[in-house]
């Protein structure tokens, strides 16, 4: 591409985005969108090249869908690399393509049907764990609870009976370290990677015993490349399993946390959620897949909650070759930030963006949405692989619990955002729970 003086660059000279000051970064980006528009350039403090910030749905679509081959994962990927090895979230090119082809079919309807009872059991277990506190009138730490229940679910979805055996044998759950620490630094990565041995042991044992419980570990171990018929190399199987723990736990926990927080502030919407649940869900028995699919309004509530609080609050990409979009030059190597948190607040696509309004996602309204204006699971070939599973898990969780418990916000509680890898509240959120 021509030298930078002749390039057609977006506005935004001399703006520094300091990702080391995360608390301030969202507010700063929000201000910059206001003064520079939906596409602007900026710099990181220690970097000479431009970073483009994209809040324009058309351009987001260009990067993530139409010309996705020209973009690899960007800022922050090295950090995740240490954590997840060569797993599907971080891999690129042919390796990614092959892994995606093997992994995607695992997340179909069969898995959702198989996992439904587990989703309900996790919600019931959580309810039981709250019983003493609810009876004593003690507020529930909803942030911590959602983290525990989401981890409980994904670990059982992955390891089923083997996890129960390890807990019975050792008296503890070795994977609990994942919820101990929200920092995703090198220290955490080292501790997390030690779980490799544990997963490897489980895999060897299953092979030796020719025992294949119906869970995701068995599925990953038995997944084969359609063309060659080969299974994944064992090391890669472990990376994919560790990937699913991280990808499937924090995101879901975050959405549930924010959804209960929103419902506690919107009595009218809470009532509609309750009414739908009472209509379609048995109170204590196991629901069917049909029951689960009828939770249309609850799914809208979750969609709206993810619009306001997308767990993956920024998607990052880097241009491989020079590119050009809508009059803007994108030199090779340019880092791109696409923050769903801000795209979801673009008033041209989301009128009155701060308002919590699940009707935005009614079947009629969804048809009018721009594909690039709503990105909680990203879009395009690298879209989230576990989206349907997450939605079903969260819808069943909400519908099961809302029949039993009513939550209210504690007075004087300040809730601030902490945009780490996932969008979290800076301090845990507590809600006052009462039985219905
Ligand atoms: C509400 C919950 C979830 C949200 C909001 C979410 C969000 C996302 C997003 C935004 C991406 C794309 C990241 C990027 O392109 O840079 C992604 C990718 C991915 N997610 Fe999720 N996710 C959720 C739940 C899950 C679950 C439950 C699983 C599996 C157990 C999962 C597995 C994955 C995997 C494997 C990828 C990588 C796909 C690829 O690169 O081909 N996610 N997720």
């Amino acid at each position: 591409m021509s030298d930078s003086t002749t390039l057609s660059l977006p506005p935004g000279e001399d703006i520094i985005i300091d990702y080391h000051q995360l608390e301030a970064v969202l507010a700063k980006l929000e201000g910059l969108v206001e003064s520079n528009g939906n596409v602007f350039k900026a710099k990181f403090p220690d970097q000479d090249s431009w970073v483009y910030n994209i809040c324009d749905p058309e351009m987001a679509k260009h990067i993530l869908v139409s010309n996705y081959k020209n973009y690899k994962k960007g800022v922050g990927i090295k950090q995740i690399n240490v954590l997840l090895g060569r797993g599907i979230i971080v891999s690129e090119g042919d390796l990614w393509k092959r892994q995606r082809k093997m992994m995607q079919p695992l997340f179909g309807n069969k898995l959702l049907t198989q996992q439904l009872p587990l989703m309900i059991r996790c919600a019931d277990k959580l309810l039981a764990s709250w019983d003493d506190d609810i009876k004593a009138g003690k507020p529930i730490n909803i942030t911590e609870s959602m983290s525990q229940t989401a981890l409980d679910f994904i670990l059982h979805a992955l390891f089923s009976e083997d996890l129960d055996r390890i807990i019975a044998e050792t008296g503890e759950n070795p994977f609990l370290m994942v919820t101990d620490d929200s920092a995703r630094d090198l220290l955490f990565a080292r501790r997390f990677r030690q779980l490799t041995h544990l997963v490897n042991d489980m895999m060897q044992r299953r092979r030796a015993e020719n025992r294949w419980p119906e869970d995701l570990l068995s599925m990953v171990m038995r997944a084969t490349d359609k063309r060659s018929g080969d299974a994944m190399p064992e090391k890669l199987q472990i990376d994919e399993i560790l990937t699913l723990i991280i990808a499937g736990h924090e995101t879901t926990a975050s959405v549930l946390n924010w959804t209960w927080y929103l419902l506690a502030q919107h009595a009218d919407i809470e009532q509609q959620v309750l009414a739908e649940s009472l209509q379609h869900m048995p109170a204590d028995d196991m629901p069917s897949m049909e029951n689960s699919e009828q939770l249309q309004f609850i799914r809208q509530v979750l969609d709206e909650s993810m619009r306001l609080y997308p767990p993956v609050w920024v998607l990052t990409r880097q241009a491989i070759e020079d590119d050009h979009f809508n009059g803007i030059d994108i030199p090779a190597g340019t880092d791109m930030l696409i923050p769903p948190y801000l795209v979801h607040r673009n008033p041209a696509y989301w009128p009155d963006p701060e308002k919590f309004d699940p009707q935005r996602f009614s079947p009629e309204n969804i048809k009018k949405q721009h594909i690039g204006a709503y990105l909680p699971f990203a879009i395009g070939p690298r879209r989230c692989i576990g989206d349907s599973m997450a939605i079903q898990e969260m819808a069943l969780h909400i519908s099961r619990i809302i029949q039993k418990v009513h939550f209210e916000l504690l007075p004087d509680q300040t809730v601030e955002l902490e945009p780490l890898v996932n969008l979290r509240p800076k301090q845990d959120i507590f809600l006052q729970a009462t039985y219905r």
Side-chain angles (χ1 to χ4, degrees):
M1 201 169 262
S2 30
D3 80 76
S4 67
T5 50
T6 59
L7 287 176
S8 172
L9 301 176
E13 310 296 316
D14 299 331
I15 304 165
I16 304 277
I17 303 178
D18 189 350
Y19 266 72
H20 301 296
Q21 293 178 5
L22 283 170
E23 296 101 86
V25 81
L26 272 180
K28 177 145 189 176
L29 286 175
E30 215 157 4
L32 290 172
V33 171
E34 251 169 52
S35 47
N36 291 279
N38 285 322
V39 180
F40 64 85
K41 65 181 185 310
K43 281 188 178 170
F44 293 129
D46 46 0
Q47 207 172 297
D48 248 3
S49 53
W50 292 114
V51 180
Y52 288 8
N53 186 83
I54 318 291
C55 292
D56 168 38
E58 268 303 318
M59 193 157 176
K61 184 180 156 205
H62 172 80
I63 296 163
L64 298 171
V65 187
S66 324
N67 200 19
Y68 84 94
K69 280 196 176 140
N70 190 46
Y71 293 90
K72 57 181 183 179
K73 295 267 175 124
V75 178
I77 201 64
K78 283 197 190 116
Q79 190 187 346
I80 305 179
N81 238 317
V82 183
L83 202 60
L84 303 179
R86 297 198 304 151
I88 186 172
I89 285 191
V90 284
S91 61
E92 300 283 354
D94 287 345
L95 174 62
W96 167 76
K97 211 163 156 188
R98 210 183 59 223
Q99 289 303 105
R100 177 95 194 186
K101 274 199 186 142
M102 284 205 248
M103 297 281 285
Q104 187 152 326
L106 311 186
F107 288 84
N109 264 338
K110 185 169 166 243
L111 182 73
L112 299 193
T113 310
Q114 194 179 302
Q115 287 182 342
L116 186 146
L118 174 62
M119 291 166 175
I120 293 293
R121 278 202 305 276
C122 289
D124 287 349
K125 191 165 143 192
L126 183 68
L127 268 169
S129 76
W130 287 340
D131 190 48
D132 287 348
D133 284 350
I134 295 179
K135 284 181 180 147
K138 238 174 104 187
I140 304 287
N141 182 335
I142 209 78
T143 310
E144 190 183 83
S145 289
M146 294 308 116
S147 193
Q148 282 166 0
T149 194
L151 187 67
D152 188 29
F153 169 73
I154 193 68
L155 291 179
H156 279 95
L158 281 162
F159 306 127
S160 62
E161 60 192 42
D162 286 351
L163 180 71
D164 294 329
R165 175 183 51 79
I166 291 172
I167 295 173
E169 279 171 13
T170 64
E172 58 181 48
N173 180 350
F175 294 94
L176 276 189
M177 52 98 37
V178 177
T179 53
D180 288 352
D181 187 357
S182 61
R184 292 290 176 254
D185 52 15
L186 267 180
L187 205 68
F188 174 83
R190 241 175 261 142
R191 287 174 67 206
F192 183 70
R193 291 302 297 179
Q194 280 166 15
L195 297 173
T196 304
H197 305 298
L198 204 70
V199 176
N200 190 38
D201 285 349
M202 279 191 243
M203 286 167 48
Q204 300 311 335
R205 224 164 142 154
R206 284 189 188 193
R207 273 201 201 93
E209 294 164 7
N210 194 17
R211 178 176 53 84
W212 304 103
E214 281 200 334
D215 57 23
L216 272 165
L217 177 61
S218 294
M219 286 177 163
V220 169
M221 290 175 71
R222 304 179 105 185
T224 49
D225 185 320
K226 265 206 178 115
R227 256 197 264 156
S228 67
D230 292 343
M232 289 176 216
E234 280 183 25
K235 269 198 175 147
L236 213 45
Q237 292 178 6
I238 296 174
D239 282 350
E240 297 303 10
I241 293 296
L242 295 182
T243 296
L244 295 181
I245 296 177
I246 294 289
H249 147 248
E250 288 193 338
T251 43
T252 317
S254 166
V255 179
L256 288 175
N257 170 68
W258 294 116
T259 304
W260 285 120
Y261 172 67
L262 286 163
L263 287 175
Q265 296 169 80
H266 295 85
D268 51 335
I269 293 169
E270 187 211 8
Q271 279 308 312
Q272 289 180 67
V273 167
L274 175 62
E276 182 178 78
S277 174
L278 291 171
Q279 191 184 349
H280 297 299
M281 289 281 289
D284 297 305
D285 294 341
M286 202 46 81
S288 62
M289 275 302 275
E290 217 174 21
N291 294 137
S292 161
E293 279 151 17
Q294 280 162 331
L295 302 174
Q296 163 66 24
F297 185 69
I298 294 180
R299 285 163 198 258
Q300 285 177 220
V301 166
L302 291 166
D303 286 343
E304 175 67 344
S305 165
M306 289 188 286
R307 183 186 67 80
L308 284 169
Y309 300 106
V312 182
W313 64 276
V314 65
L315 301 165
T316 70
R317 295 291 188 270
Q318 191 178 67
I320 298 169
E321 311 250 346
D322 290 349
D323 193 13
H324 189 83
F325 180 77
N326 216 4
I328 295 172
D329 287 324
I330 307 165
T334 306
D335 277 309
M336 319 291 278
L337 304 180
I338 309 171
Y341 182 87
L342 297 178
V343 177
H344 295 175
R345 282 168 170 74
N346 183 331
Y349 295 84
W350 304 103
D352 200 0
E354 292 301 332
K355 188 178 171 202
F356 177 53
D357 178 10
Q359 281 313 329
R360 297 181 204 267
F361 292 90
S362 68
E364 313 80 66
N365 286 339
I366 263 186
K367 286 185 210 141
K368 294 179 230 154
Q369 268 172 25
H370 189 296
I371 179 187
Y374 187 61
L375 306 165
F377 294 110
I379 49 175
R382 295 210 73 149
R383 185 190 160 91
C384 178
I385 225 173
D387 52 354
S388 307
M389 178 172 131
I391 294 282
Q392 173 165 298
E393 176 195 353
M394 297 187 297
L396 290 172
H397 165 104
I398 299 282
S399 69
R400 189 72 165 187
I401 289 176
I402 202 132
Q403 288 195 18
K404 305 274 170 28
V405 179
H406 163 69
F407 286 114
E408 274 178 33
L409 220 52
L410 296 184
D412 310 326
Q413 189 171 194
T414 47
V415 172
E416 290 170 273
L417 297 179
E418 187 166 49
L420 296 175
V421 174
N422 283 298
L423 191 63
R424 298 168 48 91
K426 204 182 270 183
Q427 282 92 26
D428 288 0
I429 297 176
F430 286 78
L431 298 177
Q432 191 66 51
T434 42
Y435 280 124
R436 289 191 193 276

